[in-house]
């Protein structure tokens, strides 16, 4: 089964697409640019969602839900925001269909034109800040710490499953604060949460930093992001947190009375991650045999496959396998016992290898007689025979080892592919022949940034938070620079 994949070396993009489809994660739908997330793919997203939701709530955030449709006039109130999203908006103009006069299907009823067009939400700042106006009068109403799990639509022309689709799932946090300091602290706190999640659950090392002015979210004063490196040497933006200042509060006239009785506009943030994380998870770890899933996000951490020759052996092996399954469940390990008699063990081995199940247990009559079981780990493809006695503790420790091993492998790859360059020739040579992250000096101007991107398709991913001050010269213009920034070609 695993041989159905194109190799990464042969065609990385095709390998990715093959894997998403063959592993049963998602498929293209009848609606152009939109995808169907299949049960196995959605199970991974649910695990991501559950952990992130827990992390948000631990920091005082609450979930709410806001409308899918946003009046067009709302987008006109914040100039940078409308400019940033205008070309991606899906617009609802009518509210009714009717049968065609010739009886051949339906058509839009021209008499049912909306007085004001509605935008299918590309993001929710405008509708939320219009709502917050009714929620906020005084400092006693602040802070508001709200998150929304939802779908959004951005009319992408070139789509790729999970990475860039016209409709996708995400969460978007929208908070309101009494002071600039509180809002800036919230912005930093949330990017730290995303980095924590990426590293400790996705097993994916990331670099945190500020976006350049040209790469900021539309309407933000500052955007923080986490950037991950995929196995083909391209970067992937895995999460963003935006300090919106008072821009949206002023656009929607959201004011409050502070403790001194003074009237002021509210300070705002927004932050989000999406099903794009699925793409990062796939491209960050998987291999030519299929998915490699970190145990913390795997729908099934362990699969048990029975080995038998006849019905009598089947019953005996299944009875023992069920005992093992229950023992693992008691230890908090998610287990699938594949007792199907419609597929041979070899077929099942290939299927779970493709689906990236971290640990596979094979149990046969000889194992039962010897009190042992075969244990295969997906990340290294190594197999060993273990005693069944004490198995839950051993499997739990092995899962921790796999989680750590996957992270360390990705970290080594990332660190081995961060390169410091000082000249334009070095920059071009590295981009064309090595890829990866490039730390280089930039003169800080939008003009230079745009020229570099137009000539090389490499962009400034972030200005790293932990980057030290360092005198240098811009690789493109030779003008003075005080700090290196992170360049890469990106998804």
């Amino acid at each position: 089964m695993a041989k159905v994949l194109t190799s990464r070396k042969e065609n990385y993009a095709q390998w990715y697409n093959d894997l998403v489809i063959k592993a049963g994660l998602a498929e293209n739908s009848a609606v152009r640019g939109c995808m169907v997330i299949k049960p196995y793919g959605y199970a991974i997203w649910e695990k991501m969602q559950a952990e992130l939701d827990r992390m948000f709530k631990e920091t005082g955030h609450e979930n709410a839900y806001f409308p899918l449709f946003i009046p067009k006039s709302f987008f006109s109130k914040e100039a940078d925001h409308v400019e940033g999203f205008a070309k991606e908006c899906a617009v609802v103009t009518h509210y009714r269909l009717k049968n065609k006069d010739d009886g051949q299907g339906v058509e839009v009823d021209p008499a049912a034109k909306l007085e004001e067009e509605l935008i299918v939400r590309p993001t929710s700042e405008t509708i939320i800040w219009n709502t917050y106006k009714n929620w906020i009068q005084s400092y006693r109403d602040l802070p508001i710490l709200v998150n929304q799990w939802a779908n959004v639509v951005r009319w992408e022309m070139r789509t790729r499953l999970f990475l860039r689709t016209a409709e996708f799932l995400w969460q978007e946090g929208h908070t309101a604060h009494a002071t600039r300091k509180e809002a800036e602290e919230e912005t930093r706190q949330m990017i730290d949460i995303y980095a924590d999640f990426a590293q400790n659950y996705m097993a994916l090392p990331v670099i945190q930093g500020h976006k350049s002015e040209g790469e900021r979210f539309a309407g933000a004063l500052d955007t923080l992001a986490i950037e991950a490196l995929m196995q083909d040497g391209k970067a992937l933006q895995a999460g963003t947190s935006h300090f919106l200042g008072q821009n949206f509060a002023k656009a929607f006239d959201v004011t409050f009375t502070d403790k001194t009785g003074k009237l002021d506009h509210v300070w705002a943030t927004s932050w989000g991650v999406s099903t794009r994380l699925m793409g990062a998870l796939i491209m960050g770890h998987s291999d030519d045999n299929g998915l490699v899933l970190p145990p913390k996000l795997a729908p099934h951490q362990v699969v048990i496959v029975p080995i038998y020759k006849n019905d009598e052996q089947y019953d005996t092996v299944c009875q023992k396998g069920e005992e093992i399954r229950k023992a693992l469940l008691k230890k908090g390990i998610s287990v699938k016992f594949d007792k199907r008699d419609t597929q041979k063990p070899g077929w099942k081995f290939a299927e779970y290898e493709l689906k990236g199940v971290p640990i596979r247990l094979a149990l046969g009559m000889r194992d039962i007689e010897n009190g042992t079981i075969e244990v295969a780990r997906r990340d290294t493809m190594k197999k060993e025979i273990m005693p069944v006695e004490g198995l839950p503790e051993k499997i739990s420790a092995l899962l921790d080892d796999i989680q750590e091993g996957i992270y360390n492998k990705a970290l080594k790859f990332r660190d081995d592919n961060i390169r410091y360059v000082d000249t334009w020739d070095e920059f071009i040579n590295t981009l064309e022949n090595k890829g990866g992250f490039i730390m280089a000096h930039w003169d800080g101007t939008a003009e230079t940034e745009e020229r570099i991107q137009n000539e090389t398709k490499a962009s400034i991913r972030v200005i790293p938070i932990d980057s030290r001050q360092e005198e240098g010269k811009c690789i493109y213009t030779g003008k003075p620079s005080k700090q290196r920034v992170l360049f890469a070609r990106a998804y």
Side-chain angles (χ1 to χ4, degrees):
M1 182 181 285
K3 290 186 171 65
V4 299
L5 299 180
T6 302
S7 73
R8 289 167 294 173
K9 189 175 182 180
E10 181 184 346
N11 186 326
Y12 192 84
Q14 188 61 49
W15 164 82
Y16 173 82
N17 200 55
D18 286 350
L19 184 48
V20 170
I21 292 169
K22 299 293 184 182
L25 302 179
E27 63 188 29
N28 292 303
S29 77
V31 183
R32 186 202 163 280
C34 295
M35 64 178 169
V36 174
I37 304 176
K38 299 179 76 172
Y40 193 66
Y42 200 82
I44 299 171
W45 174 244
E46 281 182 315
K47 283 215 161 189
M48 290 181 169
Q49 190 178 33
E51 293 300 340
L52 284 165
D53 200 62
R54 176 188 58 78
M55 296 169 91
F56 298 158
K57 286 171 179 171
E58 284 179 355
T59 47
H61 300 86
E62 299 176 296
N63 288 333
Y65 187 80
F66 297 87
L68 173 67
F69 301 116
I70 302 172
K72 185 181 73 173
S73 59
F74 284 17
F75 280 85
S76 304
K77 294 187 177 184
E78 215 293 327
D80 291 336
H81 193 66
V82 69
E83 184 178 350
F85 285 100
K87 294 179 181 178
E88 299 177 345
C89 288
V91 185
V92 179
T93 58
H94 291 74
Y95 61 85
R96 188 169 61 219
L97 300 173
K98 67 171 187 174
N99 289 320
K100 289 183 176 180
D101 293 338
D102 61 7
Q104 301 298 310
V106 295
E107 63 184 357
V108 173
D109 186 346
K113 194 174 191 310
L114 293 171
E115 288 185 19
E116 180 181 3
E117 293 94 339
L118 297 172
I119 310 301
V120 183
R121 67 170 163 236
T123 182
S124 297
E125 277 78 7
T126 56
I127 190 75
I128 286 177
W129 278 91
N130 182 73
T131 304
Y132 282 177
K133 182 178 180 179
N134 301 322
W135 294 8
I136 300 168
Q137 278 77 46
S138 105
Y139 69 91
R140 295 182 182 86
D141 301 318
L142 298 170
I144 291 176
L145 306 176
V146 164
N147 174 63
Q148 169 174 248
W149 291 96
N151 62 334
V152 292
V153 170
R154 297 180 184 176
W155 211 253
E156 299 282 358
M157 299 309 292
R158 296 179 181 176
T159 59
R160 186 180 295 183
L161 294 168
F162 290 120
L163 295 176
R164 198 172 291 278
T165 49
E167 180 195 14
F168 54 90
L169 305 181
W170 77 349
Q171 59 73 212
E172 48 179 323
H174 297 272
T175 69
H177 304 267
T179 68
R180 178 182 187 126
K181 182 173 181 288
E182 284 180 22
E184 288 179 330
E185 287 173 350
E186 168 79 0
T187 307
R188 179 61 189 269
Q189 173 185 244
M190 299 319 295
I191 205 66
D192 286 344
I193 285 175
Y194 290 153
D196 182 6
F197 174 76
Q199 291 170 184
N200 291 309
Y201 289 88
M202 296 179 67
L204 199 63
V206 293
I207 293 176
Q208 297 184 54
H210 298 269
K211 286 291 187 181
S212 64
E213 187 175 349
E215 292 286 333
R216 280 181 201 155
F217 176 75
L221 299 185
D222 188 21
T223 289
L224 291 170
I226 53 172
E227 292 285 331
L229 187 64
M230 302 296 96
Q231 294 178 59
D232 64 343
K234 286 187 178 179
L236 189 141
Q237 180 178 286
T240 51
S241 183
H242 315 291
F243 171 55
L244 303 176
Q246 295 174 308
N247 288 352
F248 286 91
K250 289 177 179 177
F252 289 89
D253 194 27
V254 185
T255 59
F256 74 106
T257 306
D258 67 17
K259 291 181 180 179
T260 68
K262 178 188 170 188
L263 198 66
D264 196 8
H265 285 97
V266 176
W267 296 85
T269 80
S270 66
W271 30 272
V273 296
S274 74
T275 37
R276 169 175 265 233
L277 290 180
M278 293 285 291
L281 191 70
I282 296 160
M283 292 195 293
H285 303 307
S286 302
D287 59 26
D288 290 349
N289 295 314
L291 294 174
V292 175
L293 296 177
K296 288 184 180 180
L297 295 179
H300 311 297
Q301 294 173 315
V302 176
V303 62
I304 304 171
V305 178
I307 312 294
Y308 56 92
K309 293 181 179 178
N310 52 49
D311 290 347
E312 184 181 351
Q313 287 190 1
Y314 175 79
D315 292 340
T316 303
V317 172
C318 283
Q319 184 178 348
K320 186 62 179 178
E322 189 61 28
E323 289 177 20
I324 294 170
R325 185 186 75 86
K326 288 178 179 177
L328 292 172
L329 285 175
K330 281 185 181 178
K331 189 68 177 174
I333 297 166
S334 60
V335 190
K336 178 175 183 177
F337 186 12
D338 190 344
K339 295 185 281 187
R340 290 177 295 172
D341 60 3
T342 53
Q343 303 292 352
K344 293 185 181 296
W347 190 95
K348 294 177 184 179
F349 289 177
E351 179 183 28
Y352 295 117
E353 190 175 291
L354 181 63
K355 287 180 175 290
V357 177
I359 295 175
R360 185 189 74 232
L361 304 180
L363 180 70
M365 289 300 296
R366 184 178 297 176
D367 296 299
I368 293 174
E369 291 165 6
N370 296 333
T372 60
I373 194 165
E374 183 185 86
V375 180
R377 52 188 289 175
R378 175 61 183 87
D379 61 330
T380 62
M381 307 290 280
K382 290 181 179 177
K383 292 188 283 190
E384 62 177 308
I385 303 299
M386 284 188 182
V388 171
E389 186 178 350
L391 186 67
E393 290 73 22
K394 293 170 186 171
I395 293 298
S396 180
L398 187 57
L399 288 168
D400 290 342
D401 188 63
I402 292 170
Q403 182 82 27
E404 184 179 356
I406 291 174
Y407 175 77
N408 287 336
K409 182 180 179 182
L411 179 63
K412 184 180 187 306
F413 175 81
R414 196 277 308 272
D415 289 350
D416 287 347
N417 285 280
I418 299 176
R419 299 180 175 87
Y420 288 72
V421 307
D422 295 307
T423 68
W424 184 244
D425 286 344
E426 282 183 300
F427 185 79
I428 295 297
N429 181 58
T430 302
L431 266 182
E432 296 301 328
N433 299 311
K434 296 175 182 176
F437 285 147
I438 299 176
M439 292 290 288
H441 282 281
W442 163 59
D443 64 19
T445 68
E447 181 183 15
T448 298
E449 180 181 14
E450 186 177 358
R451 284 184 175 180
I452 291 173
Q453 187 164 356
N454 288 342
E455 290 183 29
T456 67
K457 296 183 179 177
S459 57
I460 297 173
R461 303 315 304 157
V462 286
I463 303 166
I465 287 173
D466 58 0
S467 178
R468 61 187 175 85
Q469 294 293 299
E470 174 191 326
E471 296 294 333
K473 293 182 179 180
C474 174
I475 52 166
Y476 190 84
T477 64
K479 293 178 181 177
S481 163
K482 294 185 180 297
Q483 184 181 13
R484 292 180 187 267
V485 299
L486 190 74
F487 285 93
R489 288 176 176 155
Y491 284 97

